[in-house]
Amino acid sequence: MTKKDDGHDMMPVDFSDLSPEKLHELFKTRGLQFDVRSRHPAVQTILQEVQPGDVGVDYDKQFDKDVKGDFDKGFDRDKPA
Amino acid sequence: MDRPPIFHYTLVKLAARCNITCSYCYWFRDPEVYERPPLLTQDVEDAFLRRVAEHWATHRSDSFYVLFHGGEPLLFGKSRFLQFATRLREAADRHRVRLRLSTTTNGLLVDEDWARIFLQQRVSVTLSLDGPPAFNDRRRLTFAGASTYAGVEKALQTLRDGGIEPGVLAVCDPSTSPDELVDHFVTRLRLRWFDVLVPDATRDEKPASIARYYKRLFDIWFDDLARQRVHVRYVENVTRALVGIGSTSESLGYGPIRTLTLNTDGALEPLDVLRIAGTDRVRSEINVRTHSLQDAQSNPAWRRAYEASLQLAVECRECRYRSACGGGFLPSRWSAERGFDNPSAYCADLQEILDHAWSRIHPTLAVNSGLLHDATAVP
């Protein structure tokens, strides 16, 4: 068992029985993502991209985030020239 | 369409021609592109500026993204590029729109002047390069059959000298080693951002398997590159998609395709890569000279692509990776027999890649104990 920053318990979970599709459903219905953490730093960074209040994926918001968030990155769509 | 999207993004074809010949290029797989003006015409540029300003005012846009693309976009020429970018920036300032400009180039025309223009106009740059010379020169050659590698390497240095750090796009060659590609990109070229793209293919083709390549690429990123803060977009998007954040790529994850393409003759078309499925998939009577940007959504080809991106084939709807994969890249779902009503040409590979990535990711996850019961109780 590990501790969250706020002191609540974090339990390792056997997500192999919980498919990504069921995880997606949980995210959509319960906003669970804020309480999922990863020991892998890059996965954790990705999990932190979701802001409190987000439930599921709002594609307008997602696109807006992509546009605004990537202004300083020299990296674009996925087709070569 | 229940809620037509407001465009935030236009892919602008500055050139319908290229100065090199890549064996896999989706654009020139459709010979119809040779019937278009070689470069974006001046009157189309003027019309686009009018229309995009009108779009920003009508829809109260606060941000917008223009990607200069081709063919090879730098064939457009420095003076016209500078003029176009300047006019776009001035219009965006008037409308208080935050404008992102970027370009994807093969790099062969890049020199100090181009680097200055990119820096001055804050144009982010992505170079196309398929890895070390032995990999790159299998498929990315000049019309005379010469290597393009040295030119791209020089472009990378010229851009860096000019204060620009570009991203790099490679196209996957599954017969090559991802370890060698990564070593070249990270150790020799010191890249911090790159992507390895899935080769374009429809269902009517039989593309080589990519599963082994991407599983290894995922492991390299997961075990090594991520800790060095080197970004590999495809595998990061696999991760995003699996943990429910949503991929930021148009090639993976469930979500609408909303790309608007401005062709050199002013035609407002859907996603340009759909040309691999035939000209009819992008054919458009909607032209920026006579129509608003939003009018592109009345084009049947645009609407079909948008709706198909949201209506998955029955096999996909029942798949354990329905959301994470979303049927993959829309052009890869096309077959002459069933249109877009197919899983991806890479369906088996995508399942294998996602299975592998999930097997690496899920043991690292932990959840708030208070939610544990709820999570495992889901049927």
Side-chain angles (χ1 to χ4, degrees):
Chain A
M1 186 176 294
T2 57
K3 290 283 185 183
K4 286 172 68 173
D5 295 342
D6 60 8
H8 290 128
D9 294 336
M10 292 296 288
M11 292 285 291
V13 171
D14 184 3
F15 276 100
S16 58
D17 291 335
L18 184 66
S19 72
E21 204 53 48
K22 287 180 182 170
L23 194 59
H24 281 241
E25 288 304 314
L26 282 167
F27 288 167
K28 285 178 190 166
T29 55
R30 308 181 196 195
L32 183 63
Q33 63 268 50
F34 316 119
D35 294 278
V36 177
R37 301 281 180 101
S38 172
R39 291 191 308 275
H40 191 284
V43 178
Q44 178 57 21
T45 299
I46 286 169
L47 284 166
Q48 285 173 337
E49 290 176 11
V50 180
Q51 300 299 310
D54 289 352
V55 177
V57 178
D58 177 326
Y59 291 103
D60 281 325
K61 186 184 273 186
Q62 182 72 36
F63 191 90
D64 209 34
K65 188 179 78 177
D66 299 342
V67 171
K68 291 177 178 172
D70 288 350
F71 263 87
D72 301 324
K73 294 176 186 170
F75 203 65
D76 300 301
R77 85 188 278 258
D78 39 9
K79 282 298 127 194
Chain B
M1 289 183 289
D2 46 2
R3 188 169 60 121
I6 305 300
F7 290 123
H8 301 275
Y9 163 48
T10 306
L11 177 65
V12 175
K13 295 289 180 180
L14 294 184
R17 306 287 189 275
C18 195
N19 52 346
I20 65 172
T21 174
C22 302
S23 57
Y24 49 64
C25 183
Y26 69 94
W27 183 248
F28 294 105
R29 277 176 62 171
D30 181 7
E32 195 267 353
V33 299
Y34 289 105
E35 296 170 20
R36 305 305 178 97
L39 303 178
L40 188 83
T41 63
Q42 185 63 55
D43 66 321
V44 168
E45 178 186 322
D46 296 342
F48 179 69
L49 282 157
R50 270 198 318 277
R51 294 295 181 184
V52 79
E54 172 189 294
H55 182 84
W56 293 337
T58 303
H59 302 289
R60 299 184 179 182
S61 307
D62 63 359
S63 62
F64 201 84
Y65 175 25
V66 173
L67 174 58
F68 299 124
H69 211 261
E72 169 48 43
L74 304 196
L75 290 172
F76 196 51
K78 293 168 191 165
S79 60
R80 283 204 63 195
F81 189 99
L82 178 59
Q83 171 194 266
F84 191 16
T86 303
R87 295 171 79 195
L88 276 166
R89 289 259 176 239
E90 289 171 353
D93 287 347
R94 280 197 300 276
H95 289 269
R96 300 186 179 191
V97 169
R98 193 172 184 210
L99 179 67
R100 180 185 180 203
L101 298 178
S102 50
T103 192
T104 305
T105 171
N106 62 41
L108 297 191
L109 296 173
V110 168
D111 61 12
E112 292 78 4
D113 293 336
W114 273 114
R116 270 194 294 274
I117 291 168
F118 295 146
L119 193 66
Q120 180 194 336
Q121 294 299 321
R122 288 170 287 138
V123 179
S124 59
V125 182
T126 301
L127 292 172
S128 300
L129 179 70
D130 280 356
F135 294 3
N136 184 71
D137 295 343
R138 286 182 183 192
R139 301 179 300 177
R140 300 185 63 82
L141 297 170
T142 69
F143 284 98
S147 168
T148 58
Y149 180 87
V152 188
E153 192 178 34
K154 181 167 174 281
L156 177 62
Q157 192 55 51
T158 302
L159 290 167
R160 283 175 167 164
D161 291 345
I164 293 165
E165 181 61 32
V168 165
L169 293 181
V171 174
C172 169
D173 178 349
S175 71
T176 62
S177 156
D179 292 82
E180 285 183 51
L181 178 131
V182 168
D183 183 59
H184 188 79
F185 278 175
V186 177
T187 308
R188 178 179 165 83
L189 301 181
R190 294 173 287 111
L191 299 179
R192 312 303 295 174
W193 288 85
F194 67 90
D195 199 1
V196 185
L197 311 176
V198 175
D200 293 316
T202 67
R203 284 282 297 195
D204 292 332
E205 302 166 66
K206 294 206 173 3
S209 173
I210 55 170
R212 193 170 65 172
Y213 187 100
Y214 280 100
K215 287 193 296 183
R216 178 62 193 149
L217 186 63
F218 182 88
D219 286 344
I220 297 168
W221 172 78
F222 195 82
D223 295 331
D224 182 17
L225 298 183
R227 292 169 210 285
Q228 297 182 49
R229 301 194 177 185
V230 173
H231 297 276
V232 185
R233 183 169 55 178
Y234 191 85
V235 295
E236 290 187 23
N237 273 324
V238 164
T239 305
R240 271 194 192 88
L242 283 170
V243 300
I245 305 301
S247 160
T248 61
S249 164
E250 59 197 1
S251 59
L252 189 74
Y254 180 75
I257 287 270
R258 303 191 300 188
T259 301
L260 175 65
T261 304
L262 174 69
N263 212 326
T264 55
D265 61 353
L268 291 167
E269 301 174 348
L271 177 70
D272 56 345
V273 189
L274 289 167
R275 283 182 181 277
I276 69 170
T279 310
D280 285 347
R281 254 43 69 200
V282 297
R283 196 178 299 285
S284 175
E285 303 302 320
I286 308 296
N287 195 290
V288 76
R289 293 189 188 93
T290 49
H291 294 79
S292 73
L293 301 190
Q294 287 298 123
D295 284 342
Q297 294 177 14
S298 64
N299 169 23
W302 191 93
R303 208 164 50 245
R304 269 196 300 274
Y306 177 80
E307 290 171 355
S309 68
L310 295 173
Q311 292 167 9
L312 302 181
V314 64
E315 298 94 323
C316 296
R317 292 200 298 271
E318 293 167 357
C319 177
R320 63 193 179 283
Y321 296 120
R322 177 174 59 87
S323 301
C325 171
F329 196 28
L330 183 62
S332 291
R333 286 170 48 193
W334 174 264
S335 73
E337 185 185 348
R338 294 181 49 171
F340 292 112
D341 188 21
N342 297 296
S344 168
Y346 290 105
C347 178
D349 288 318
L350 290 168
Q351 287 191 46
E352 203 177 325
I353 294 163
L354 291 165
D355 276 342
H356 177 74
W358 185 239
S359 77
R360 300 295 317 274
I361 293 168
H362 78 71
T364 75
L365 299 177
V367 68
N368 183 321
S369 56
L371 293 166
L372 185 59
H373 173 73
D374 285 348
T376 53
V378 172

